[in-house]
Amino acid sequence: LVAKESELSKALEEIDDLVYALRVAEDKLRNSSNAAHYDSHPSDTHEELLRDMEALMKEKIDAEARLEEELLRRKDFENEVKKAAEDENEKLMMEADRTIRLLKEKNSQLTEDLSSAESEVYTMKQESEDLLDRMSRAEAKASDLESVIASMKDELYREKENKKKLVEDLNKLEQES
């Protein structure tokens, strides 16, 4: 692109030079035409002026042809630069579209992963609460069982004491009888 800009700059300078040369040639032609019109010298000077006018006319035609050629080259160059810019723009747009699509896909995947993780966290929290609830109920049952066992131990102890007393009473009665 820098090379193309440099070419364009050179072409513009050449066009400016050609336009200047064309103006100079036109001025010379006009001046020689005016000089021939007002000149009172014989035909020798007139022929010389005609030759000068023909040369100037040829210079003018050459300058116009070069100008036209440079203008066409400039237009071609501008079209090339425009095409290159459009191609680069299209490439950039395609890359941007691809990047946006990839980012959207990644965002979608991350959203799904986040949703899945949140669901897992919720499930684990529910399971944890259920386990804590069951543990609390199991502790309450264990406490109830400990109370029942303690009560049964007390009952068994009383029964043993009762039995022991009954055996002692029976032994006493047997001894007395």
Side-chain angles (χ1 to χ4, degrees):
L1 192 59
V2 172
K4 292 286 185 185
E5 288 175 355
S6 176
E7 280 182 41
L8 179 62
S9 178
K10 287 178 184 177
L12 289 174
E13 287 176 16
E14 286 179 25
I15 288 172
D16 288 342
D17 291 344
L18 290 172
V19 168
Y20 178 75
L22 181 62
R23 286 189 183 138
V24 167
E26 286 175 341
D27 287 345
K28 284 181 181 179
L29 185 60
R30 229 180 278 115
N31 288 339
S32 66
S33 199
N34 288 340
H37 185 62
Y38 293 111
D39 196 6
S40 59
H41 290 290
S43 66
D44 216 18
T45 308
H46 184 64
E47 286 176 16
E48 188 178 313
L49 284 176
L50 284 176
R51 280 193 302 269
D52 286 347
M53 282 178 56
E54 284 177 18
L56 289 173
M57 186 60 90
K58 186 177 182 206
E59 279 183 43
K60 177 184 176 192
I61 290 170
D62 289 346
E64 286 175 343
R66 285 185 305 211
L67 177 61
E68 186 65 30
E69 186 178 306
E70 280 302 314
L71 288 173
L72 288 173
R73 281 184 38 205
R74 178 180 177 189
K75 184 172 182 159
D76 289 345
F77 175 76
E78 287 174 350
N79 288 338
E80 286 177 27
V81 169
K82 183 178 177 184
K83 176 73 172 134
E86 287 171 354
D87 290 346
E88 184 66 23
N89 189 30
E90 186 176 334
K91 285 179 188 175
L92 290 173
M93 291 300 289
M94 288 172 63
E95 181 64 24
D97 286 344
R98 188 180 71 76
T99 301
I100 288 170
R101 187 175 9 88
L102 289 174
L103 288 173
K104 282 181 178 179
E105 288 172 4
K106 190 170 187 174
N107 185 36
S108 177
Q109 183 62 44
L110 289 173
T111 301
E112 286 178 24
D113 292 348
L114 177 62
S115 179
S116 177
E118 287 174 342
S119 178
E120 287 179 24
V121 166
Y122 179 77
T123 301
M124 291 171 79
K125 183 179 176 185
Q126 290 296 326
E127 289 174 358
S128 175
E129 288 174 359
D130 289 347
L131 286 173
L132 286 173
D133 187 47
R134 283 199 261 163
M135 191 170 84
S136 177
R137 281 186 271 139
E139 286 175 349
K141 282 183 183 179
S143 178
D144 289 346
L145 285 174
E146 286 176 358
S147 295
V148 168
I149 290 172
S151 175
M152 289 176 91
K153 281 184 180 179
D154 287 346
E155 183 75 27
L156 184 60
Y157 180 75
R158 280 193 302 269
E159 287 295 322
K160 281 184 182 180
E161 288 297 314
N162 246 355
K163 182 179 173 188
K164 189 177 173 187
K165 188 174 175 190
L166 284 174
V167 169
E168 284 177 7
D169 284 344
L170 184 61
N171 282 341
K172 259 191 194 179
L173 278 177
E174 281 181 356
Q175 283 181 357
E176 282 178 11
S177 43

